[in-house]
Amino acid sequence: MSNITGKTKVCGIIGDPVAHSMSPIMHNAAFRELGLDFIYVAFQVSQNDLKEAVSGIRSLNIKGINVTIPHKVTIMPYLDRFEPLAKEIGAVNTVVNEAGTLTGYNTDAPGFLQALDSNGVDPKGKRVIILGAGGAARAISFALAENGAHLIILNRTYDTADKLAHHLRQKYNNQIQALPLNKESLAQTIKGGYLLVNTTSVGMSPNTAGTPVETRLLTRELIICDIVYHPLETRLLKEAQRIGAKTISGLDMLVWQGVFAFEKWTGQRPPESIMKNEALSLLGRHEN
Ligand code: ATR
């Protein structure tokens, strides 16, 4: 970072906690690779300070911001404009500052679709089972519904899944159903399912012994995508691989949402392989 000058443009991430974010290492590697005079830093911002932090983006002329837990929804009243998809989803993970006007985007949704595409998976017309109904599930279910998938949303708190399904049905004609997350509904939905996406935190480090789907319910016909990327291979992914099912790791979505955010700030397409390798090496260091 020795060549930071008075002209260097600043991007960053706001969240709480944010110290373990993969984004600084991914974006800085891509800036270096493309020779762009940009730097990316992590800002820990508490919920109470969010409004002032957003004013700071304008006053310090920060070019771009990623937004992570817990601010993806609560940042919205402080922004000036939104792309339609972010408004529809009701969550923002990327902000672009153009002369003090802040526009909110959601790159989690296209990032997820690109992760599927880069693994040769096309959800159009297929039955997709989504586990969880929180912020990540909202972005993913809008992305899938937009692409013509039929959705079955399973959540521990049934009411949240039901609300999300209701919201989606107002916009899309695809079949969209909500069920409680339990053995019976899993067994019933997995039969005709094409893809299962885990958006819950079950299996995430340090609770790596957990899995949201009992091993005996998995079949080799069902593609498994886990958006948890720490550990890189969750118990769910390992067990699916063991029986010969196709799997997609959460790292792919993480990298692609970053690729699309980077494009919005710089107008250039970053090399996703560099971003992925940086994230892999950081995660490898965490896991060892
Ligand atoms: P994110 O933005 O990552 O989606 P979130 O909005 O807090 O985070 O959502 C977390 C999701 O994981 C929710 O669907 C939550 O289920 P509830 O709505 O019932 O809380 C789900 N989740 C978290 N821990 C879980 C557990 N131990 N078992 C099942 N689901 C769990």
Side-chain angles (χ1 to χ4, degrees):
M1 302 295 159
S2 55
N3 40 9
I4 294 172
T5 69
K7 293 182 191 147
T8 303
K9 293 194 176 71
V10 179
C11 291
I13 180 164
I14 58 173
D16 189 14
V18 81
H20 291 101
S21 167
M22 301 283 139
S23 296
I25 199 166
M26 290 197 306
H27 286 286
N28 285 318
F31 291 146
R32 276 196 302 276
E33 180 70 17
L34 294 182
L36 295 173
D37 192 10
F38 276 73
I39 185 148
Y40 187 109
V41 286
F43 299 109
Q44 183 169 342
V45 174
S46 71
Q47 259 163 329
N48 285 342
D49 292 329
L50 181 62
K51 189 175 179 188
E52 282 76 15
V54 177
S55 301
I57 298 171
R58 291 191 189 87
S59 51
L60 299 172
N61 197 23
I62 291 172
K63 180 64 199 161
I65 284 287
N66 277 140
V67 187
T68 189
I69 289 167
H71 304 315
K72 286 187 185 190
V73 176
T74 45
I75 195 170
M76 294 184 76
Y78 309 127
L79 303 178
D80 304 308
R81 299 191 317 192
F82 302 94
E83 63 157 349
L85 182 66
K87 211 167 188 176
E88 200 77 63
I89 294 169
V92 160
N93 79 319
T94 301
V95 176
V96 179
N97 179 4
E98 279 150 323
T101 300
L102 304 184
T103 307
Y105 296 87
N106 189 304
T107 71
D108 286 331
F112 172 76
L113 289 176
Q114 187 60 45
L116 293 187
D117 188 59
S118 64
N119 282 279
V121 172
D122 180 3
K124 192 172 170 55
K126 306 276 180 41
R127 286 179 67 178
V128 181
I129 304 153
I130 298 171
L131 310 186
R138 285 181 73 85
I140 285 171
S141 35
F142 270 90
L144 285 166
E146 187 77 38
N147 273 263
H150 303 299
L151 307 181
I152 307 159
I153 303 166
L154 278 63
N155 198 42
R156 179 177 62 179
T157 311
Y158 169 71
D159 202 40
T160 324
D162 190 41
K163 283 204 180 88
L164 176 55
H166 180 76
H167 190 64
L168 286 157
R169 278 195 296 262
Q170 292 184 323
K171 180 154 193 239
Y172 301 101
N173 293 323
N174 326 9
Q175 296 163 24
I176 298 167
Q177 197 188 344
L179 286 171
L181 176 53
N182 59 36
K183 258 183 248 168
E184 292 69 38
S185 37
L186 275 170
Q188 176 197 331
T189 52
I190 279 175
K191 267 182 217 143
Y194 170 70
L195 167 70
L196 179 145
V197 187
N198 175 44
T199 77
T200 77
S201 47
V202 179
M204 190 189 291
S205 182
N207 303 314
T208 54
T211 177
V213 185
E214 243 183 79
T215 316
R216 64 178 182 85
L217 293 177
L218 295 171
T219 66
R220 68 185 307 247
E221 289 73 38
L222 183 70
I223 303 167
I224 302 285
C225 175
D226 199 337
I227 72 157
V228 172
Y229 56 81
H230 189 206
L232 263 173
E233 287 199 333
T234 56
R235 180 175 157 201
L236 174 64
L237 289 183
K238 277 191 197 145
E239 291 181 347
Q241 277 161 16
R242 204 169 296 142
I243 60 162
K246 186 179 178 76
T247 61
I248 302 172
S249 99
L251 187 68
D252 288 356
M253 177 177 171
L254 173 78
V255 169
W256 283 108
Q257 65 73 30
V259 165
F260 296 140
F262 186 104
E263 266 185 342
K264 298 205 179 300
W265 302 323
T266 66
Q268 293 196 42
R269 181 71 171 242
E272 70 269 7
S273 57
I274 300 243
M275 293 173 88
K276 186 167 180 174
N277 287 340
E278 289 291 326
L280 272 173
S281 65
L282 187 61
L283 281 167
R285 268 177 263 150
H286 284 178
E287 275 173 31
N288 294 328

